[in-house]
């Protein structure tokens, strides 16, 4: 590329400091392609190499303006990601807290499987319902908050696990427990959370994929 | 008469042009100029931040393409959401142009006191 354009690009690069390295590289890579194409077009129109190299930055904009607008656009993206992450984590955590209450209502108040069906059936019903709910949670988060769905679901589950342990420890310590209760209890909570978060993450991955491919964010080839 | 494109109108025009087919940034700028017979030009450095905002909103998606000669190019295409937004924003621009024409038309007919 012409040295004048390299200097111009260096001046723009100097104003992209707030951007992380990869974002900065991508922006400059795109601008470089544009400047090269504009320069080549200028030469094709009959300008000399130097004339075209002088005209292109004037058409592109001052490094201050280009740098400031590029940084502002990047910051907007960071802000949207942050909102998406915390929104998804709050949604996930709220859902996970609400789920036991809903299950309690369904099982005890309306279906009463323990009263009319064998315990194995009842447990299968409860476990299936929970598994579907965790998948659904992940799917909803993936569709609504695709940017940070996976990490937000992991955070929601981490918070929920800590909440469960903090909630149940004072209750269980009031009663004398048999030997080996606590390791078994903690192991059960962690195992349950691992299973649940795996299902939620699978749902989040599927939801995000659906949104980015065939759903609200899918790419369609231009008509005509 | 050559006129610089207003910054607020840029996203709508980008969506409108991408409706004709995927393009990279330079081709987008040239197409806007071509469609206006050279009368409308944009500060090309402001095009890429506008493209970034449209990407963040999920209205367009960019894909890098390796070129046999020269720098790699990022080609943009409309997403499903982008198609819907394109209709809305281009109609809003058309309505605005019609309103301006109506106001200026009435002023033109007013007689001095």
């Amino acid at each position: 590329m012409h040295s004048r354009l390299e200097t111009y690009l260096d001046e723009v690069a100097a104003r992209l400091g707030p951007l992380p390295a990869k974002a900065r590289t991508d922006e400059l890579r795109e601008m470089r392609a544009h400047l090269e194409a504009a320069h080549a077009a200028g030469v094709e129109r009959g300008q000399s190499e130097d004339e075209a190299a002088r005209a292109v930055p004037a058409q592109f904009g001052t490094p201050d303006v280009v740098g400031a607008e590029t940084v502002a656009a990047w910051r907007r993206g960071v802000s949207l990601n942050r909102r998406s992450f915390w929104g998804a984590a709050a949604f996930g955590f709220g859902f996970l807290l609400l789920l036991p209450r809903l299950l309690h209502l369904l099982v005890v108040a309306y279906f009463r499987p323990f009263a009319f069906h064998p315990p194995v059936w009842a447990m299968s019903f409860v476990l299936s319902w929970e598994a579907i709910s965790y998948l659904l949670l992940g799917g909803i988060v993936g569709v609504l908050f695709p940017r940070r769905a996976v990490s937000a679901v992991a955070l929601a589950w981490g918070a929920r696990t800590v909440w469960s342990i903090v909630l149940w420890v004072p209750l269980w310590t009031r009663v004398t427990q048999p030997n080996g209760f606590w390791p078994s209890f903690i192991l059960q909570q962690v195992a349950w959370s691992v299973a649940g978060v795996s299902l939620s993450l699978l749902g989040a991955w599927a939801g995000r994929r659906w949104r980015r491919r065939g759903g609200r964010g899918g790419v369609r080839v231009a008509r005509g | 008469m050559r006129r610089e494109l207003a910054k607020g109108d840029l996203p709508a025009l980008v969506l409108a042009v991408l409706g004709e087919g995927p393009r990279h940034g330079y081709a987008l700028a040239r197409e806007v100029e071509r469609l206006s017979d050279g009368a409308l030009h944009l500060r090309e450095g402001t095009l890429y931040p506008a493209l970034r905002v449209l990407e963040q909103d999920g209205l367009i998606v960019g894909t890098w393409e390796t070129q046999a000669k020269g720098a790699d190019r990022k080609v943009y295409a409309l997403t499903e959401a982008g198609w819907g937004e394109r209709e809305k924003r281009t109609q809003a621009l058309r309505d605005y142009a019609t309103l301006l024409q109506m106001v200026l038309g009435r002023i033109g007919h007013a007689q001095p006191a």
Side-chain angles (χ1 to χ4, degrees):
Chain A
M1 197 163 74
H2 194 283
S3 58
R4 193 178 278 269
L5 297 180
E6 290 284 2
T7 305
Y8 173 79
L9 209 53
D10 287 341
E11 286 176 14
V12 173
R15 287 149 177 85
L16 300 183
L19 271 64
K22 184 172 186 315
R24 189 164 56 243
T25 304
D26 282 346
E27 294 290 348
L28 292 171
R29 197 175 155 199
E30 214 174 351
M31 289 181 200
R32 174 180 293 274
H34 188 114
L35 297 174
E36 281 184 3
H39 184 253
V43 169
E44 226 174 288
R45 279 195 300 271
Q47 290 176 323
S48 68
E49 295 265 347
D50 284 345
E51 277 169 354
R54 261 192 293 273
V56 166
Q59 177 67 4
F60 205 73
T62 64
D64 282 338
V65 170
V66 173
E69 298 212 2
T70 305
V71 169
W74 173 79
R75 283 198 167 124
R76 180 185 183 273
V78 167
S79 170
L80 286 175
N81 277 343
R82 199 174 291 137
R83 259 182 277 155
S84 182
F85 173 74
W86 288 111
F91 180 88
F93 185 59
F95 191 100
L96 289 171
L97 285 186
L98 195 60
L99 180 64
R101 309 284 92 78
L102 286 174
L103 258 181
H104 184 81
L105 274 175
L106 275 173
V107 171
V108 175
Y110 293 101
F111 291 98
R112 308 179 81 88
F114 295 103
F116 299 110
H117 300 281
V120 169
W121 187 95
M123 283 311 296
S124 303
F125 169 78
V126 168
L127 290 174
S128 303
W129 203 92
E130 284 211 26
I132 290 166
S133 300
Y134 297 147
L135 265 175
L136 195 63
L137 159 69
I140 293 171
V141 168
V143 170
L144 292 180
F145 309 100
R147 296 170 192 279
R148 301 292 295 275
V150 171
S151 48
V153 162
L155 176 67
W157 266 102
R160 190 260 188 188
T161 305
V162 169
W163 173 271
S164 296
I165 292 173
V166 164
L167 186 69
W168 286 109
V169 164
L171 290 173
W172 286 114
T173 49
R174 284 184 190 175
V175 180
T176 305
Q177 302 301 337
N179 287 338
F181 170 79
W182 287 112
S184 167
F185 171 73
I186 291 169
L187 198 65
Q188 186 197 58
Q189 289 297 309
V190 170
W192 189 243
S193 294
V194 166
V197 79
S198 303
L199 285 170
S200 295
L201 289 177
L202 179 65
W205 172 80
R208 197 174 61 174
R209 203 169 155 81
W210 175 80
R211 175 158 176 177
R212 284 184 173 166
R213 288 185 70 190
R216 285 171 58 190
V219 174
R220 172 155 52 106
V221 174
R223 291 171 282 198
Chain B
M1 182 193 70
R2 204 163 147 79
R3 185 187 173 84
E4 188 169 312
L5 180 65
K7 197 171 153 190
D9 297 335
L10 181 56
L13 276 188
V14 167
L15 291 175
V17 170
L18 285 178
E20 302 304 311
R23 280 181 175 79
H24 52 82
Y26 180 76
L28 266 168
R30 295 289 77 78
E31 185 64 6
V32 168
E33 270 193 9
R34 187 190 72 81
L35 289 170
S36 66
D37 290 334
L40 212 54
H41 76 100
L42 51 91
R43 281 268 165 243
E44 291 165 20
T46 62
L47 174 60
Y48 294 98
L51 289 169
R52 216 56 67 231
V53 167
L54 291 171
E55 266 187 308
Q56 288 162 7
D57 291 343
L59 301 178
I60 64 174
V61 63
T63 318
W64 283 102
E65 284 184 359
T66 312
Q67 303 296 307
K69 264 190 344 184
D72 293 346
R73 287 176 170 173
K74 195 170 181 184
V75 175
Y76 297 92
L78 290 178
T79 62
E80 289 285 343
W83 279 104
E85 194 63 21
R86 175 185 182 254
E87 305 292 338
K88 269 197 285 188
R89 293 200 197 186
T90 50
Q91 188 55 47
L93 270 185
R94 285 195 188 97
D95 292 343
Y96 180 60
T98 305
L99 280 172
L100 278 181
Q101 216 167 3
M102 184 173 76
V103 168
L104 293 172
R106 287 178 180 174
I107 291 170
H109 290 126
Q111 297 296 319

